[in-house]
Amino acid sequence: MAFSFLLLLVAQFLLLVACTSIVNAQSSNATVFYESFDKSWKGRWIVSHKDEFTGKWKYDKSLGHGDYGLLVSEKAKKHGIAVTLAETTILDPSYGAIVLQYNLRLQKGLECSGAYLKYLQPQKAGWTLSDFDNGSPYSIMFGPDKCGLTNKVHFIFCHKNPKSMEYSEHHLKAPPVPKIDKFTHVYSAIITLNNTLRILIDGKEVKTANLLSSKDFDPPVMPQPTLPDPDDKKPSDWDDRAKIPDPEASKPDDWDDDAPREIIDAGAVKPVGWLDDEPEEIDDPESIKSEDWNDEEDGQWTPAKIDNPKCEDAPGCGEWKPPTKQNPQYKGKWKAPFVENPAYNGIWKPRQIPNPDYFTVEKLHLEPISAIGIEIWTMQDGILFDDILVTHDEADAQKYRDKTWKPKFDAEKQREAMEDKENDIINVNRPPRNMKEWIFETMFKIADIKFLAPHKLSIIQSVKKLEDNAAVTLTVLGAIPLLLTSFLYSLALGRKQKVKLPLTYALGLNVNLISNKSSEIASY
């Protein structure tokens, strides 16, 4: 009996081990592709040999820590590189979620560049990774792109119309905005059942869409069931004018089509002192013909012109002409008013015919992928790709984010905080660069005087506004010591005093110096 019980325990233990092995195997099989760049990418990733791709890729560390990645090392160039998956992967959510994920660090920001991945379809026979270019068919394109007015996280998928057998690109509408700071961020695209797409940035959902919805993708996957008949023509007698000139209207007898818009002001009088015989400009008496001037080659020399000094104090010079004014009789060309068109047929449209390429689908079949490529033109270097993952398990993707992205992001934020603190210390110890900076530093220090504590906030706010005002000059700042002296003097005497300084009024400052407990420097 005891022996049988022992055998039962051993059997249960072996079953538990077997189940655990199966779960682990399933979890391992969920990961289709993972690139950590722990080792150099050379030999796995192949740079495109196409002439247009002149940008160099490097295996380099991320700034501030020892994690390596695939680095865009040159700006203002096209970069192309690709890697083959171990086997062609079917992108079918029925087998589990499809998760496309990678870490991206824009070490020098992003002004004009793409930073997306292309998940490539199986290519034609004879194609190699070195042939990769913009024309290589892809299944999905995912990732940031910024240049000019474009600033979005792309999600584009290619779908073959089962009727026409032609591929078309379908772009996500209202895509999320990428993170363009200099920290490492992780981008995730998750496709699940019911054709649902979710985009995550740093593990937070920023976009949800339906792959088959016309509200979410342009153009929609399913075309319109009908289309305009290209052979249908508008009838020659079709009248699509909603309104027409009133055929019964006539021009009024007093309407003058030729009346000018403006006429000479007959009541205008020449100003007293107008110098009719003086030109507005005269020859410059100091203008001298240069010795190397050749009249035959350079033309007849004439002296430069200057304003006639006699005209400076006169109301005008030269021939006086009366000004013009608006013509009260001006009406413009007469046109008949519009009335409803009794023969209006409406806006003509060609008749609709069945669309031969129309189809319906309940479940979207994405094209399989066999490689991953990066094909970008960039004005920035320092773009670092890392931890590229394709998996069927969302929990698996979460583990990778926690293990690979979070530590790097936290380290970079901590490093920035330390650098900011060091810079603050440096700035505190650094002597002022110029007189203007010294004046502002002194004013901020005055706000810390103990007996000014009740007025500290008002003083700091006013000084800060002055500092932020680019129009403030040293001349204006020169009045500040006088203002502060008057302020302190007022407090010492215990009287209310209103300081009137022309320079402060020029700035629009309204300063009331009030004794003892109240002092207000109003906003300007």
Side-chain angles (χ1 to χ4, degrees), residues 33 37 44-48 53 57 70 72 79-85 102 114-121 123 127-134 136-143 369-376 385 388 390:
F33 174 84
F37 294 106
R44 300 188 310 281
W45 291 75
I46 304 300
V47 176
S48 175
F53 296 107
W57 296 90
L70 179 61
V72 174
H79 294 71
I81 195 169
V83 64
T84 301
L85 304 186
Y102 68 102
Y116 43 79
L117 303 186
K118 285 185 174 181
Y119 299 85
L120 305 179
Q121 300 179 24
Q123 307 293 305
W127 185 90
T128 64
L129 294 176
S130 62
D131 296 322
F132 172 58
D133 62 9
N134 184 53
S136 302
Y138 66 91
S139 178
I140 293 173
M141 187 176 106
F142 171 57
I369 61 173
S370 62
I372 298 175
I374 306 174
E375 175 265 319
I376 56 176
F385 296 88
I388 300 173
V390 179

Side-chain angles (χ1 to χ4, degrees), residues 196-265:
T196 300
L197 166 70
R198 291 160 42 227
I199 293 180
L200 281 60
I201 300 179
D202 297 346
K204 296 180 181 179
E205 187 173 298
V206 293
K207 180 70 177 182
T208 302
N210 187 310
L211 297 173
L212 292 179
S213 173
S214 60
K215 295 180 180 179
D216 293 330
F217 282 88
D218 183 36
V221 171
M222 292 180 286
Q224 295 297 321
T226 61
L227 50 76
D229 184 356
D231 297 325
D232 192 15
K233 307 297 180 183
K234 184 172 72 171
S236 58
D237 59 348
W238 188 281
D239 194 340
D240 53 10
R241 299 173 300 162
K243 293 187 175 183
I244 59 173
D246 185 354
E248 298 180 0
S250 59
K251 184 173 70 173
D253 295 336
D254 61 347
W255 192 289
D256 185 359
D257 283 339
D258 300 323
R261 184 184 295 271
E262 292 185 339
I263 58 175
I264 295 174
D265 184 0

Side-chain angles (χ1 to χ4, degrees), residues 25 28 95 177 232 274 288 306 312 336 340 366 387 466 503 514:
S28 176
Y95 302 143
V177 176
D232 192 15
W274 189 281
I288 301 174
I306 61 171
E312 291 181 1
E340 299 292 334
L366 295 167
D387 298 301
L466 279 172
L503 287 174
I514 305 174

Side-chain angles (χ1 to χ4, degrees), residues 85-150:
L85 304 186
E87 59 183 18
T88 299
T89 301
I90 305 298
L91 300 182
D92 188 346
S94 300
Y95 302 143
I98 301 166
V99 184
L100 311 176
Q101 180 171 287
Y102 68 102
N103 290 355
L104 177 69
R105 188 177 186 191
L106 309 170
Q107 299 179 121
K108 296 185 180 180
L110 192 68
E111 294 180 7
C112 187
S113 176
Y116 43 79
L117 303 186
K118 285 185 174 181
Y119 299 85
L120 305 179
Q121 300 179 24
Q123 307 293 305
K124 62 183 180 182
W127 185 90
T128 64
L129 294 176
S130 62
D131 296 322
F132 172 58
D133 62 9
N134 184 53
S136 302
Y138 66 91
S139 178
I140 293 173
M141 187 176 106
F142 171 57
D145 187 17
K146 183 179 186 299
C147 197
L149 298 178
T150 299

Side-chain angles (χ1 to χ4, degrees), residues 293-310:
W293 185 279
N294 188 317
D295 288 337
E296 293 183 358
E297 296 180 0
D298 302 323
Q300 184 179 358
W301 181 85
T302 55
K305 297 288 185 179
I306 61 171
D307 292 336
N308 189 344
K310 294 181 180 180

